[in-house]
Amino acid sequence: MAAHPGEDSSLPLTEASPGSPGPGEEAGSEELPMVFLCAGCKRPVGDTLGWEFNDEDTNCILLKNVTLNVSVDKEQKLSSRAGEYGCMLETLFCTGCNMTLGSIYRCTPRHLDYKRDLFCLNVDALESYTLGSSEQKAEIDEEPLTLESRASLEESLGRAETILKALEQRLSVVESSFASLHNIG
């Protein structure tokens, strides 16, 4: 992970940034991957596999790549943020709900070169999901399907099919009786 000197690598969106131990974790434990979602329509817009770092000053995370759910407005604008004089930006939008997600810095002064051509996503426009964080598990009280239980199940299905065919024949006889009574009367 590239970290800009002087930048804090904690991620306000989640408890810890990828690659740094979070609360209750030991250094060296493997960090689970995260998916970043548009806060508006919940479409995935990126993940920690494209992670570069986060910028506390602008409340953004910077990614090397994003999903096709992110569109780039090719109209370049000058940044109006303090300390970003001379920065040319392209705005990032969600293709699903058209929510503004952040920007790409296309032209920067030397002190902001580390942001150039990275997807700078505003944390307030995102939600996240940590893969493997699901805690609810399916309860399986039944025994697994084995060859013996499958044979028994197939036998039961065969008996049910025979009974249904017999009932179908009886119903057909009853229906034809009603039809003949209706035609007589």
Side-chain angles (χ1 to χ4, degrees):
M1 250 167 274
H4 178 64
E7 289 293 326
D8 180 6
S9 64
S10 64
L11 177 62
L13 183 61
T14 59
E15 294 196 5
S17 65
S20 65
E25 293 182 64
E26 294 178 14
S29 68
E30 188 174 327
E31 188 71 32
L32 295 174
M34 289 190 321
V35 176
F36 301 111
L37 310 169
C38 169
C41 66
K42 310 301 185 255
R43 289 179 188 233
V45 296
D47 57 53
T48 53
L49 296 178
W51 179 270
E52 280 294 311
F53 58 92
N54 65 302
D55 186 348
E56 289 288 325
D57 296 334
T58 58
N59 200 29
C60 289
I61 60 171
L62 286 94
L63 304 177
K64 291 180 276 196
N65 47 42
V66 293
T67 69
L68 294 176
N69 293 323
V70 177
S71 66
V72 180
D73 181 359
K74 294 299 180 186
E75 180 184 340
Q76 294 186 346
K77 301 174 184 172
L78 279 170
S79 175
S80 58
R81 287 190 178 156
E84 293 187 355
Y85 178 74
C87 289
M88 294 296 290
L89 309 172
E90 294 174 350
T91 305
L92 302 174
F93 294 99
C94 174
T95 59
C97 65
N98 213 31
M99 181 176 187
T100 301
L101 298 173
S103 56
I104 295 181
Y105 288 77
R106 294 299 188 187
C107 179
T108 59
R110 186 172 301 225
H111 73 281
L112 293 175
D113 279 350
Y114 66 94
K115 287 185 175 184
R116 188 177 310 134
D117 296 326
L118 293 176
F119 295 92
C120 184
L121 300 175
N122 188 331
V123 171
D124 295 332
L126 302 175
E127 291 186 10
S128 67
Y129 177 77
T130 302
L131 298 179
S133 67
S134 301
E135 293 183 14
Q136 187 170 340
K137 305 246 188 261
E139 292 184 27
I140 302 174
D141 293 334
E142 302 170 8
E143 63 182 62
L145 188 62
T146 62
L147 288 176
E148 294 82 21
S149 60
R150 180 181 173 157
S152 173
L153 182 61
E154 286 176 351
E155 183 181 327
S156 295
L157 287 173
R159 283 191 303 246
E161 185 179 14
T162 303
I163 292 170
L164 284 173
K165 285 181 182 179
L167 288 173
E168 182 181 27
Q169 287 175 346
R170 287 182 180 179
L171 182 59
S172 178
V173 169
V174 170
E175 286 176 338
S176 62
S177 296
F178 274 123
S180 64
L181 285 176
H182 181 65
N183 290 339
I184 294 173

